[in-house]
Amino acid sequence: MSNRGKTGIACCAVIFCGLIHGGIAQAEPQPSPVPSAWELTLQPTEPTRIVVDLGGVKKTFWYFLYTVTNNTGEDVDFHPEIVRVSEIETEATASQAQKNPGQAPRITPEPAIIGLDSRVFKAIAERHQRTHPFLVTPVKAIERLLQGRDNARTSVAVFPDLDPRASKFTIYFGGLSGEQTSKPNPTHNPKKAESEDNPRFFVIRKTLAMPYTIPGDERTRPTAIPVLGRMTWVMR
């Protein structure tokens, strides 16, 4: 994942903590109601699982395919930043969660795997050979995207297996829009030098949020089909 992607995850975590611990009430930036910069067209498939034999060890991965098309009227650099944020809910009380952290609610951000094992990509490509014959690896997806349908690019976002306790997750797909803004870092320490770990501002970008719920319980979720909610644009 790029440094920009790491910064995006850190931005969300730091802002969230700052709002809680600092008691700061700030309105979250919202994307423009109409596109204010270039915007690519995305066609994703639904997230699904695949089991791959990695040298005698079978591992489960989640993935989805996507096709991105540039109808903006100009060539643009395509740098996808894709993150899955899963949520584990709990009925434990605050005191119970404090005594047993394993019972506490948990939010886990996981960036899509960029340096994908070739065996994983091969298994996915073979599964979709008929419908997506021009599938490229996540690394090859990162380059200039020319205009028009004939130059559309199809790739894959792959994630580790989900904890069966997770009842929902959201996939955030960045890199589809040129719209961006900056937001003050609520935990910035002015007594220290400004750095990647202590920035004064975070750059946040228009990002597509795709929320899913996983029906069932811990026993049935490993085979359940996720249900897509309402996709929205957010600043992240």
Side-chain angles (χ1 to χ4, degrees), residues 116-123:
L116 191 60
D117 189 304
S118 60
R119 293 168 292 186
V120 178
F121 178 76
K122 181 180 178 182

Side-chain angles (χ1 to χ4, degrees), residues 185 187-202:
N185 175 10
T187 63
H188 171 69
N189 186 345
K191 296 181 180 180
K192 294 183 179 180
E194 186 172 353
S195 66
E196 185 174 314
D197 296 325
N198 185 43
R200 289 183 59 197
F201 297 92
F202 288 116

Side-chain angles (χ1 to χ4, degrees), residues 8-88:
I9 296 175
C11 168
C12 291
V14 170
I15 290 175
F16 180 73
C17 292
L19 291 175
I20 291 177
H21 298 298
I24 302 173
Q26 296 180 347
E28 291 298 314
Q30 298 296 319
S32 173
V34 294
S36 61
W38 57 263
E39 193 170 295
L40 304 176
T41 301
L42 180 73
Q43 293 176 292
T45 65
E46 67 179 22
T48 190
R49 308 166 185 80
I50 190 169
V51 179
V52 183
D53 189 333
L54 300 178
V57 178
K58 292 186 177 181
K59 291 190 66 175
T60 299
F61 296 88
W62 280 78
Y63 74 93
F64 70 92
L65 308 184
Y66 66 87
T67 298
V68 62
T69 307
N70 180 1
N71 294 317
T72 66
E74 59 179 319
D75 298 342
V76 299
D77 292 325
F78 180 53
H79 294 282
E81 295 176 359
I82 309 171
V83 178
R84 181 186 67 188
V85 179
S86 59
E87 298 182 42
I88 296 176

Side-chain angles (χ1 to χ4, degrees), residues 45-46 48-50 63-65 121-135 154 156:
T45 65
E46 67 179 22
T48 190
R49 308 166 185 80
I50 190 169
Y63 74 93
F64 70 92
L65 308 184
F121 178 76
K122 181 180 178 182
I124 295 172
E126 289 178 349
R127 175 183 281 187
H128 298 278
Q129 176 62 36
R130 288 188 176 183
T131 57
H132 298 79
F134 303 110
L135 188 69
T154 301
V156 59

